[in-house]
């Protein structure tokens, strides 16, 4: 029986203290916090964990410097503190990175004014990061030769942070924490709605892999469905004081534009910040900000033109980027929390990105609106406090439920890796040593990997061409990461489908071998299903554009 099958079977075995609907960052952090503090928790998601907004971010953990322009200083202060805390709590994963921002002639603010703002931003973050720098157009060109500084009047450099791995991987690690603390979690389990019966929420659920339906019972229901919070509330008859508006954002992944490990920031034609973000041997560019009437978003030709036009106008590339250079796309909606009586005719650039926990004490129901990766620890702690206020006792209320293992555990891992000469097995094409990579991605779970590699050095062999994934990682994913569809691995536990061309993957013998590790006898069927699904998706999006 697989890990997922075990968890699905446990969903009907008891009445939980809380059931979390949705496995994005809000739901994952909530489940980890509650389970770590001793609550009996279940979490379900109708797709894969982090299968929507939480896998389409800019991979940035930042204090929201742009929110200063709308005078949302309280939010900026809170996010800066959260960013600092994540850097300290996840030093291998959440890392400081410099942002170089170029200001062109005619912009609404002068470089000196904005530079002064970065100092305020730095102070609001308690001076935790490197200090800001003011740059002349000459300085900019010297430090980043690909920037077109001919129309620049200056710029500045400041610090925020980014996720070394992808956002979905960061989310899954909270799911993994929740499981370790005793939670029951399952992907591909859909909530069909819930009713309050005799003081308990009874949720009608369906296993989308086989169609089986069953009931899940919980004292408290937590709606963390991301962009679909409002839709699920309608299924349960919940009235809330907040609702969501939607803003679509896309990113394009292209070949590496610069080898520097900094983010290049510009102000796009629509006035919002626009980024060139390092992603290993690739570059991520974007984003857009488009009002949507619903959470279902796709990348359009207009979106692609906007991103390419903006980047080509701001960089001096040997050849302008074209759609042919696009390796993959990211497209999601930002669910923006607003009061329920406010309409949709709002300035999206100026809207707050704060999260709101909307609690109905009479029905023991919570809805989480908005949210950001940066604020995930705050969300988890707020949900734990709210559960206590609803009368659920948390036996370990002061438990520290997040973060990497202690430095002593890391040093023990590194010593063991050195003893077996792990780093000597690092594939030549890898961007970092195996010891660094395995610790960052798996922390103390990587001790078992060391044992397997020591017993058989072939476990350290690269399995999929132009990636960094070795055989032992595939076996770990199969046994511990609830890989149900091939996309779960390629897109969310890993970022392979973001950085490797689709057609290259289709013809990859290494990927076929990886499928055999992940799915056994079902390998060929899962491989074919993935590429059939993505071919049909691309055809339907093309048809929608015609």
């Amino acid at each position: 029986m697989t890990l997922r099958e075990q968890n699905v079977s446990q969903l009907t075995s008891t009445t939980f203290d809380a059931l979390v609907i949705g496995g994005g960052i809000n739901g994952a952090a909530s489940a980890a916090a509650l389970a770590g503090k001793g609550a009996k928790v279940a979490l379900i998601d109708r797709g894969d964990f982090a299968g929507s907004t939480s896998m389409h971010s800019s991979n940035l953990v930042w204090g929201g410097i742009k929110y200063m322009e709308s005078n949302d200083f309280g939010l900026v202060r809170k996010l800066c503190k959260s960013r600092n805390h994540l850097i300290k709590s996840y030093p291998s994963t959440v890392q400081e990175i410099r942002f170089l921002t170029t200001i062109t002639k005619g912009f609404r603010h002068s470089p000196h004014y904005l530079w002064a703002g970065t100092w305020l931003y730095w102070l609001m973050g308690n001076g935790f990061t490197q200090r800001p720098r003011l740059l002349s157009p000459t300085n900019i060109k010297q430090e980043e030769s690909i920037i077109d500084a001919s129309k620049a009047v200056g710029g500045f450099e400041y610090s925020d942070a980014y996720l070394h791995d992808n956002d979905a991987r960061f989310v899954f690690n909270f799911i993994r924490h929740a499981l370790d603390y005793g939670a029951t979690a399952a992907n591909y389990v859909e909530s069909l709605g819930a009713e309050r019966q005799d003081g308990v929420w009874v949720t009608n659920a369906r296993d989308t892999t086989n169609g089986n339906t069953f009931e899940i019972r919980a004292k408290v229901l937590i709606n963390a469905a991301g962009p679909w919070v409002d839709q699920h509330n309608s299924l349960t008859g919940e009235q809330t004081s907040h609702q969501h508006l939607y803003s679509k954002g896309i990113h394009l992944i292209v070949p590496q534009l610069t080898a520097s490990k900094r983010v290049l920031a510009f102000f796009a034609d629509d006035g919002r910040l626009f980024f060139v973000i390092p992603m290993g041997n690739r570059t991520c560019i974007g984003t857009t900000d488009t009002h949507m009437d619903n959470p279902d978003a796709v990348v359009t030709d207009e979106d692609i033109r906007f991103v390419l036009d903006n980047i080509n106008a701001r960089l001096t590339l040997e050849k302008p980027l074209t759609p042919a250079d696009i390796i993959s796309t990211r497209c999601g909606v930002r669910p923006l929390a607003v009061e329920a009586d406010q309409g949709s005719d709002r300035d999206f650039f100026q809207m707050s990105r704060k999260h709101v926990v909307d609690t109905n004490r009479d029905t023991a129901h919570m809805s989480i609106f908005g949210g950001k990766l940066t604020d995930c620890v705050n969300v988890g702690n707020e949900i734990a406090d709210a559960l206590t206020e609803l009368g659920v006792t948390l036996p370990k209320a002061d438990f520290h439920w997040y973060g990497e293992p202690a430095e002593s555990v890391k040093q023990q891992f590194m010593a063991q890796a050195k003893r077996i000469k792990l780093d000597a097995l690092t594939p030549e094409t890898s961007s970092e040593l195996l010891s660094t990579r395995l610790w960052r991605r798996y922390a103390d779970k990587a001790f078992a990997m060391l044992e397997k590699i020591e017993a058989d050095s072939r476990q350290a062999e690269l399995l999929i061409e132009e990636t960094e994934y070795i055989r032992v990682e595939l076996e770990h994913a199969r046994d511990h990461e609830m890989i149900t569809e091939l996309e779960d691995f390629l897109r969310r536990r890993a970022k392979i489908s973001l950085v490797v061309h689709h057609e290259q993957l289709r013809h990859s013998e290494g990927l076929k071998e990886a499928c055999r590790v992940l799915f056994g006898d079902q390998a060929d069927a899962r491989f074919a299903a993935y590429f059939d699904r993505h071919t049909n998706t691309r055809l339907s999006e093309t048809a929608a554009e015609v």
Side-chain angles (χ1 to χ4, degrees):
M1 182 179 288
T2 66
L3 177 62
R4 179 183 177 276
E5 290 168 343
Q6 294 172 19
N7 277 264
V8 170
S9 68
Q10 293 167 7
L11 288 170
T12 59
S13 64
T14 187
T15 297
F16 294 95
D17 290 325
L19 170 63
V20 180
I21 308 293
I25 187 59
N26 287 340
S30 297
L34 296 180
K37 292 174 179 291
K40 190 180 298 182
V41 182
L43 179 147
I44 60 174
D45 194 294
R46 67 179 181 181
D48 189 27
F49 308 119
S52 181
T53 295
S54 293
M55 72 172 186
H56 293 301
S57 78
S58 299
N59 271 16
L60 300 178
V61 176
W62 65 325
I65 191 170
K66 68 177 183 180
Y67 309 143
M68 293 176 64
E69 192 170 10
S70 55
N71 298 320
D72 204 345
F73 296 111
L75 176 63
V76 173
R77 168 70 171 161
K78 182 179 181 182
L79 291 177
C80 281
K81 292 170 65 177
S82 298
R83 175 205 63 200
N84 298 349
H85 196 58
L86 287 178
I87 292 173
K88 290 186 289 186
S89 301
Y90 295 93
S92 301
T93 301
V94 183
Q95 299 171 343
E96 181 178 346
I97 192 169
R98 299 293 274 175
F99 284 63
L100 194 163
T101 305
T102 301
I103 307 301
T104 56
K105 299 172 183 176
F107 188 65
R108 59 184 180 270
H109 298 302
S110 72
H112 286 84
Y113 178 85
L114 294 172
W115 180 60
T118 64
W119 275 95
L120 177 59
Y121 186 63
W122 182 75
L123 291 170
M124 293 177 76
N126 295 334
F128 182 81
T129 60
Q130 296 180 59
R131 294 182 179 185
R133 290 197 303 146
L134 182 65
L135 300 172
S136 68
T138 300
N139 296 147
I140 292 171
K141 193 65 177 178
Q142 288 173 341
E143 298 204 14
E144 285 290 349
S145 60
I146 67 166
I147 294 178
D148 182 0
S150 62
K151 298 180 181 178
V153 292
F156 52 89
E157 188 181 63
Y158 68 98
S159 288
D160 261 312
Y162 80 118
L163 296 171
H164 197 290
D165 282 311
N166 60 326
D167 44 12
R169 179 79 205 178
F170 185 68
V171 173
F172 178 77
N173 284 336
F174 283 104
I175 298 290
R176 186 66 258 175
H177 278 310
L179 292 168
D180 291 343
Y181 299 146
T184 299
N187 50 0
Y188 296 97
V189 174
E190 179 182 14
S191 168
L192 303 176
E195 292 183 352
R196 188 81 173 161
Q197 299 177 7
D198 300 324
V200 173
W201 280 102
V202 179
T203 299
N204 185 21
R206 181 173 71 93
D207 184 337
T208 64
T209 68
N210 56 27
N212 291 342
T213 58
F214 49 89
E215 293 182 343
I216 307 172
R217 304 175 68 84
K219 298 174 185 176
V220 177
L221 191 63
I222 301 172
N223 181 357
W228 291 275
V229 163
D230 296 302
Q231 286 86 332
H232 194 271
N233 280 339
S234 67
L235 292 177
T236 60
E238 281 291 316
Q239 300 293 319
T240 57
S241 59
H242 289 80
Q243 65 180 11
H244 273 148
L245 297 181
Y246 309 107
S247 170
K248 180 178 74 171
I250 78 151
H251 297 85
L252 306 180
I253 313 302
V254 298
Q256 189 178 68
L257 300 181
T258 173
S260 70
K261 301 299 182 183
R262 56 153 67 100
V263 176
L264 307 185
F266 307 91
F267 287 92
D269 293 342
D270 63 3
R272 67 172 281 121
L273 276 170
F274 186 85
F275 299 120
V276 176
I277 306 168
M279 184 180 280
N281 62 352
R282 307 297 190 202
T283 296
C284 176
I285 54 176
T287 181
T288 59
D289 202 340
T290 309
H291 172 55
M292 299 290 291
D293 294 326
N294 60 71
D296 301 310
V298 297
V299 178
T300 66
D301 286 346
E302 183 180 0
D303 295 329
I304 292 173
R305 283 195 301 271
F306 176 87
V307 174
L308 293 181
D309 288 348
N310 272 276
I311 200 64
N312 286 329
R314 288 158 176 80
L315 301 182
T316 55
L317 303 173
E318 290 186 11
K319 295 181 180 179
L321 290 173
T322 72
D325 295 305
I326 299 171
I327 298 168
S328 63
T329 63
R330 314 181 87 167
C331 175
V333 294
R334 307 172 186 88
L336 307 176
V338 298
E339 294 182 10
D341 59 355
Q342 294 181 340
S344 60
D345 187 18
R346 307 285 303 283
D347 183 350
F348 271 61
F349 296 170
Q350 301 299 322
M351 285 184 63
S352 175
R353 266 51 172 176
K354 67 180 180 181
H355 72 266
V356 176
V357 177
D358 198 316
T359 303
N360 185 335
R361 297 182 62 88
D362 294 335
T363 61
H365 184 281
M366 301 182 215
S367 301
I368 308 175
F369 292 94
K372 295 176 66 66
L373 286 166
T374 310
D375 219 13
C376 58
V377 170
N378 290 327
V379 170
N381 285 329
E382 287 177 34
I383 291 297
D385 291 343
L387 194 73
T388 301
E389 292 174 1
L390 291 175
V392 177
T393 300
L394 298 179
K396 299 182 289 183
D398 295 328
F399 181 76
H400 189 82
W401 55 273
Y402 57 90
E404 292 181 17
E407 179 65 21
S408 60
V409 180
K410 179 180 179 180
Q411 292 308 317
Q412 181 184 351
F413 173 83
M414 290 300 177
Q416 188 169 332
K418 183 177 181 179
R419 179 181 61 79
I420 69 171
K421 297 181 174 59
L422 175 68
D423 289 341
L425 301 174
T426 304
E428 291 183 3
T429 55
S430 293
S431 64
E432 59 187 341
L433 296 174
L434 270 179
S435 59
T436 302
R437 171 183 169 73
L438 295 183
W439 175 260
R440 189 188 70 253
R441 288 181 58 80
Y442 309 102
D444 51 348
K445 296 290 188 298
F447 280 101
M449 296 183 182
L450 293 184
E451 294 177 3
K452 289 186 175 182
I453 293 171
E454 184 177 19
D456 182 2
S457 62
R458 291 175 299 178
Q459 290 286 344
E461 291 177 351
L462 201 65
L463 200 57
I464 306 172
E465 308 91 333
E466 294 197 26
T467 74
E468 300 191 30
Y469 290 84
I470 58 177
R471 184 177 295 274
V472 73
E473 290 184 88
L474 271 296
E475 294 184 359
H476 178 86
R478 176 194 64 202
D479 298 336
H480 301 288
E481 297 190 347
M482 291 196 200
I483 306 296
T484 305
E485 301 289 344
L486 180 55
E487 184 173 10
D488 302 342
F489 173 71
L490 288 179
R491 178 63 179 83
R492 288 178 285 275
R493 306 303 180 272
K495 58 183 178 185
I496 293 172
S497 63
L498 281 176
V499 299
V500 180
H501 284 282
H502 183 75
E503 287 305 309
Q504 183 176 340
L505 288 175
R506 185 193 295 272
H507 297 99
S508 168
E509 292 301 320
L511 180 56
K512 292 176 182 177
E513 173 63 18
C515 280
R516 287 190 283 273
V517 174
L518 291 170
F519 304 116
D521 293 342
Q522 299 180 21
D524 291 343
R526 298 296 175 88
F527 185 92
Y530 172 80
F531 287 99
D532 288 347
R533 184 183 309 116
H534 282 264
T535 298
N536 292 336
T537 298
R538 292 182 179 206
L539 289 173
S540 64
E541 290 180 0
T542 300
E545 284 295 299
V546 172

